[in-house]
Amino acid sequence: MRVYLLVAVVAAVVTYLTTPLARWCALRWGAITAVRDRDVHAIPTPRLGGMAMFVGLLVALLLGSRLPFLEPVYANPRPIFGIVGGAAIVCALGVADDIWDLDWLTKLMGQVLAAGFLAWQGVLLYQLPVADNVISGSARSAVFLTVVSVVVAMNAVNFVDGLDGLAAGVLAIGGSAFFLYAYLLTVGTGRDDYSNLATLVVAALVGVCVGFLPHNFYPARIFMGDSGSMLLGFVIAAAAIVVTGQIDFAAVVDRVRFPAYVPILLPVAVLVLPLLDMGLAIVRRLLSGKSPFHPDRLHLHHRLLALGHSHRRAVAIMYVWTGVLAFGVAALAVLSTTTVLVVTGLGVVIATILTLGPLRGSRRDAHHAPDDAPSVVGS
């Protein structure tokens, strides 16, 4: 556990220290988010925060390669190379979009390229645990599912990045739950070696988000841009895919057998708000006869502001929802299903009261930190 915490701390420190440099680059290169009709921020703000996040991720993973505890993880370098290489492609694509505002088709092709590179390096969604069975498909179907999953995750994170600190905070909270889940599940298998690629990657991801947040909290001094939102979506998807391929289901002890069969559930819980927001936006626009790429002001964070919540409170509410759902699923690794359902149900009630109840205040904040329009589907 201490090794993973060290990796997270290094990722956070490096990201925090390099974010001002990314801001300087954004100002110098003209990567500035202008004030648009659908936004509620009042000041043009530099982006390219994803550059600093990528550096933090890279340094943390390089550090991990020097730690004896993690030697088994680096024994096969292809998956790590796939994650780092794919993240580099995504970050470079996002930087280009943050500067030149690429069209949606170019961004989609770049995302498919990054996901394809990940699959080429052996990080494949080739098995899905369902009930008492493990479903496996052909190599082509594994590549297809991998690419689709990664592309969806990247765009889902981009959708939710609409308020200062929102996307980074949601991924930090959800990633923390994912980290605990992957670590406890590995420990629960009874192995002597607790090193695990998914746990390592998620620890670095959480550190990156935590290091970026001080610069991105309301009022933000820099946005992560597509270079950051796509990076976060790519990494969380890659970690989820790795989990499905690293768990030895036959070795899982009875106490944690149920969560071993649903490792894909936690990444969905982490991204449930982004996925819900993206799905509702696409359906809403199609039903109104508009293109799914047509931007609007009806995202979940816009609705929270319309309810009367302040900027900070709206972000905090989405943090609460993420924590309830993500940690609720992660708790399956240590608690009974009944206990998890009861506690999670209580959390949902509290989150609902906070969302709709009398605690909401008048909307006083005018500054909003959107990222660009989502990578493929417009915001």
Side-chain angles (χ1 to χ4, degrees):
M1 177 68 78
R2 288 178 294 180
V3 172
Y4 292 125
L5 293 179
L6 174 62
V7 169
V9 169
V10 169
V13 171
V14 172
T15 302
Y16 177 79
L17 294 177
T18 55
T19 297
L21 177 59
R23 186 177 188 277
W24 179 84
C25 291
L27 293 171
R28 186 175 180 85
W29 298 341
I32 309 294
T33 302
V35 180
R36 302 166 296 188
D37 291 339
R38 64 181 180 271
D39 298 332
V40 295
H41 73 291
I43 304 173
T45 307
R47 44 200 186 217
L48 294 185
M51 292 174 58
M53 302 172 87
F54 175 73
V55 173
L57 177 71
L58 180 61
V59 172
L61 293 180
L62 287 175
L63 169 70
S65 68
R66 311 305 300 173
L67 300 176
F69 174 80
L70 294 173
E71 283 184 3
V73 174
Y74 290 85
N76 178 14
R78 287 190 65 206
I80 298 177
F81 183 64
I83 293 173
V84 173
I89 294 173
V90 164
C91 185
L93 176 69
V95 169
D97 182 56
D98 290 337
I99 297 173
W100 296 299
D101 194 18
L102 304 177
D103 63 273
W104 70 269
L105 183 59
T106 300
K107 289 183 283 190
L108 177 59
M109 292 301 98
Q111 292 174 348
V112 171
L113 175 63
F117 181 81
L118 182 72
W120 181 47
Q121 294 302 313
V123 182
L124 288 166
L125 192 59
Y126 62 85
Q127 63 177 15
L128 288 174
V130 178
D132 290 331
N133 300 303
V134 178
I135 301 177
S136 300
S138 65
R140 289 185 178 181
S141 64
V143 172
F144 176 77
L145 288 175
T146 298
V147 171
V148 170
S149 300
V150 173
V151 170
V152 168
M154 283 191 279
N155 286 284
V157 173
N158 193 282
F159 257 91
V160 81
D161 189 25
L163 296 176
D164 294 5
L166 182 55
V170 165
L171 267 296
I173 294 170
S176 297
F178 195 174
F179 167 76
L180 291 174
Y181 174 90
Y183 179 78
L184 293 174
L185 197 56
T186 303
V187 172
T189 61
R191 293 167 23 185
D192 294 330
D193 175 21
Y194 296 157
S195 62
N196 180 278
L197 177 58
T199 311
L200 170 64
V201 171
V202 175
L205 174 69
V206 171
V208 162
C209 292
V210 171
F212 183 70
L213 275 172
H215 301 281
N216 190 233
F217 274 130
Y218 176 83
R221 296 187 294 276
I222 183 173
F223 301 156
M224 67 174 63
D226 272 13
S227 57
S229 60
M230 290 196 299
L231 175 68
L232 296 183
F234 177 88
V235 173
I236 196 72
I241 293 168
V242 168
V243 166
T244 66
Q246 287 194 342
I247 296 300
D248 181 4
F249 301 102
V252 177
V253 298
D254 292 337
R255 182 176 60 84
V256 295
R257 181 168 294 279
F258 176 70
Y261 286 122
V262 287
I264 202 65
L265 180 59
L266 185 53
V268 174
V270 172
L271 296 175
V272 66
L273 292 182
L275 291 172
L276 177 63
D277 196 16
M278 183 174 69
L280 290 175
I282 293 175
V283 172
R284 179 175 66 244
R285 293 164 187 173
L286 291 177
L287 290 179
S288 64
K290 298 178 180 178
S291 166
F293 314 122
H294 188 274
D296 58 35
R297 288 176 55 91
L298 295 175
H299 289 285
L300 295 178
H301 51 269
H302 288 133
R303 296 178 185 275
L304 287 173
L305 294 175
L307 282 173
H309 294 292
S310 67
H311 186 119
R312 289 188 177 91
R313 186 176 290 119
V315 171
I317 288 172
M318 295 192 76
Y319 284 179
V320 170
W321 277 107
T322 300
V324 168
L325 297 174
F327 279 97
V329 174
L332 289 170
V334 292
L335 300 176
S336 67
T337 304
T338 302
T339 302
V340 169
L341 290 176
V342 171
V343 175
T344 302
L346 179 61
V348 169
V349 171
I350 294 174
T352 302
I353 293 174
L354 292 175
T355 303
L356 303 175
L359 293 181
R360 67 174 187 259
S362 60
R363 189 175 70 184
R364 295 182 296 273
D365 296 328
H367 182 82
H368 163 61
D371 240 52
D372 275 352
S375 309
V376 174
V377 183
S379 62

